[in-house]
Amino acid sequence: MPANTITRSQLCEAVYQEVGLSRNESADILEMVLDELSGALSRGETVKISSFGSFSVRKKGQRVGRNPKTGDEVPILPRQVLVFRPSQLLKGRVNGGRSGGAS
Amino acid sequence: MTKSELIARLAERNPHLYQRDVERIVSTIFDEIAEALARGDRVELRGFGAFSTKRRDARQGRNPRTGESVSVTEKMVPCFKTGKQLRELLNP
């Protein structure tokens, strides 16, 4: 099953087809959506998109890692990572509507 | 931030658009991503991140309440990998 990769241009095309905006404007607004999502996450907010999923930021503490090539111990600094939790609906959709959801 | 808050912010930044259109735009975007994942496609948004699906093999699970063993069928799960720029934004 060769997986195709969808990029901004296809999403933009979908917005263009769905709403009567120009292609340029569609591209701008897609960028604004990503910008708003990134902004909220960088402020530490959780982003909840109903029927799609939620994005949250998890803080990770410092831990000791190892350089896999040399075996040297190196500290991994505290960092923030993004976690995406798909909704039951999305889980169901990727399984052809089976499993997940209340149905 | 919720989907409706996202819509409100976008409407504020785009006073020339009807709120109804902003709603349709946002829904279209997430729906296209979901549709692509349902087809088994990947969605790559440079700088933001990439959505993909991964296969989970069938396994022998257990009902945590009764301890009964149950077989769990193979399934696909949606995944997200944070893009470089967003990762840097989270760790300035």
Side-chain angles (χ1 to χ4, degrees):
Chain A
M1 186 176 60
N4 293 313
T5 300
I6 306 303
T7 60
R8 277 178 174 76
S9 63
Q10 285 99 322
L11 291 189
C12 190
E13 185 65 23
V15 171
Y16 168 75
Q17 300 280 345
E18 184 69 27
V19 194
L21 300 180
S22 71
R23 282 201 166 80
N24 258 330
E25 232 182 332
S26 304
D28 287 348
I29 196 138
L30 170 60
E31 223 46 56
M32 264 185 241
V33 170
L34 298 179
D35 186 60
E36 287 293 340
L37 296 176
S38 307
L41 292 164
S42 69
R43 291 190 298 273
E45 280 181 49
T46 292
V47 175
K48 284 186 187 146
I49 307 294
S50 65
S51 79
F52 187 78
S54 67
F55 300 86
S56 53
V57 180
R58 193 142 72 197
K59 291 186 169 65
K60 299 194 113 185
Q62 180 166 342
R63 64 192 167 94
V64 182
R66 218 172 256 286
N67 179 327
K69 200 176 281 183
T70 63
D72 291 345
E73 274 191 4
V74 279
I76 296 176
L77 301 174
R79 64 187 61 209
Q80 300 203 101
V81 294
L82 188 53
V83 192
F84 172 64
R85 293 202 56 207
S87 70
Q88 287 300 323
L89 200 91
L90 183 59
K91 285 189 200 170
R93 275 180 87 171
V94 302
N95 286 285
R98 285 177 290 119
S99 82
S103 58
Chain B
M1 182 162 78
T2 62
K3 186 168 162 182
S4 48
E5 283 163 1
L6 170 65
I7 291 165
R9 292 190 66 120
L10 291 165
E12 211 175 294
R13 282 175 73 175
N14 297 276
H16 60 293
L17 296 181
Y18 290 113
Q19 166 113 4
R20 178 173 45 101
D21 285 338
V22 178
E23 278 167 24
R24 275 172 66 197
I25 291 164
V26 170
S27 299
T28 301
I29 292 171
F30 289 108
D31 209 56
E32 280 298 310
I33 297 174
E35 203 55 53
L37 293 176
R39 287 194 304 268
D41 291 346
R42 252 169 65 80
V43 180
E44 186 178 307
L45 301 166
R46 283 281 160 87
F48 182 76
F51 295 91
S52 61
T53 50
K54 283 184 185 161
R55 207 187 75 193
R56 292 275 177 268
D57 287 329
R59 63 187 169 87
Q60 214 50 240
R62 225 168 250 289
N63 180 329
R65 194 174 310 184
T66 63
E68 247 176 289
S69 155
V70 284
S71 55
V72 181
T73 56
E74 170 189 306
K75 64 180 171 190
M76 300 301 285
V77 292
C79 290
F80 177 75
K81 185 171 184 272
T82 315
K84 198 173 169 190
Q85 255 174 283
L86 182 53
R87 203 163 56 226
E88 284 165 1
L89 197 63
L90 292 173
N91 295 285

